[in-house]
Each structure stands twice: as structure tokens, then as C-alpha cells.
Amino acid sequence: MSRKIARYALLVALSMVLSWLESLLLLPGMLPGMKVGLTNLVVVFALYRLSLGEAAGISIVRVALVSMTFGNAYSFAYSLSGAVLSLGAMAGLKKLDRFSPLGVSIAGGACHNIGQILVAMAVLETAELGWYLPGLLASGTLAGAAIGAAGGLLVERIRI
């Protein structure tokens, strides 16, 4: 039991560090709200090496802790909606057993952005933000591909 708790704590801590590092990245051409999705490395890894429930727990604990540490209620709502929709899509595709971690992560990146746009539309009470979605989907797809490729390597090489 203590090994399991230590493993979860390590993965949550790693995802928090990756979230912090990601907040320091300022890449040219990135619109506000666009991120690389480094924390999704941990989620993809957990989804393939642990159970769906364990991956979900790690993801939700990370969202809560990062929001309490670095954010606010709005960042919590945006992050949670993106994380839940992303994890649901990734879990569904993984269960089909027809997609590699690369494809699973691409879907997760796109769905994360859809979840965040939906919350932003609800919070700001406007559908006008829909114009922002194509740019976010493009960045989410590219980021999802990069994270999925790296995540696939981690899944192949690390046994826990």
C-alpha cells in the first residue's frame, strides 16, 4: 500500500512540476491559453501503466493542487473541464485498442481545448469565443502529437 501511495505522490508531484515549467514557456506565435500540455505526459503514462481510475485521480488531484497553488477558481474550472473531457476521450480511444498513445494524446489535446472553450463561453456568456477554437484545436493537435510521441516512449520504456 505504501508503494502505491508513493507512486501516486510521485506522479502528482511530477505533473505539478511540469505544469509549473509549462507556465514559464513563452513560445512565439502562441495565443493566450495555448499550452504545450506537458502535464499530459503523466496522464498518458498513468492511463497506460495504471488504471483509468488511478489516472483520473492523479489528474484531478493535480488540477486541484495547481489551481490552489498557482491559480484561482476560474483556472480550476478551465483546467478541470479540459482534464475531464480530455481524459474521457483518451480513455475511450485507448479502450478501443485501435490507437497508439500518439493518437490517444492528440484526441486528448483537442478535447482539452474544447472543454476549456465551453467553460469560457459559459463564464463569459457568449458564443463569440467559438472563433478561437480552430487555433486552439490546431495547437492542441500539435501539442498532443508531441506529448503522445514522448508518452509512447515512456510507456514502452518505464515499468512501474
Side-chain angles (χ1 to χ4, degrees):
M1 183 63 157
S2 62
R3 278 184 65 131
K4 197 178 228 186
I5 291 170
R7 183 179 337 163
Y8 297 153
L10 177 67
L11 291 173
V12 168
L14 177 60
S15 67
M16 289 182 70
V17 168
L18 290 173
S19 180
W20 174 74
L21 286 173
E22 186 173 64
S23 73
L24 301 177
L25 290 176
L26 297 173
L27 300 175
M30 287 181 67
L31 297 171
M34 287 184 178
K35 292 186 177 182
V36 178
L38 294 176
T39 59
N40 207 35
L41 272 172
V42 175
V43 176
V44 169
F45 180 79
L47 192 58
Y48 279 86
R49 286 286 167 239
L50 305 171
S51 70
L52 172 58
E54 293 164 325
I58 290 165
S59 183
I60 290 169
V61 168
R62 189 256 325 153
V63 166
L65 290 175
V66 167
S67 294
M68 285 188 289
T69 307
F70 305 114
N72 55 42
Y74 288 113
S75 64
F76 176 75
Y78 291 125
S79 294
L80 184 63
S81 65
V84 168
L85 194 56
S86 173
L87 185 63
M90 291 192 304
L93 291 179
K94 180 186 175 286
K95 188 174 182 177
L96 291 175
D97 203 27
R98 301 179 100 187
F99 297 92
S100 69
L102 177 71
V104 167
S105 180
I106 289 171
C111 287
H112 187 88
N113 290 328
I114 291 169
Q116 289 186 322
I117 281 290
L118 291 173
V119 167
M121 287 176 169
V123 167
L124 299 173
E125 299 178 350
T126 180
E128 294 291 318
L129 291 176
W131 67 268
Y132 201 52
L133 190 56
L136 284 178
L137 287 176
S139 73
T141 299
L142 291 173
I147 296 303
L153 289 173
L154 292 173
V155 169
E156 284 178 17
R157 297 180 182 184
I158 298 175
R159 305 275 182 230
I160 58 172

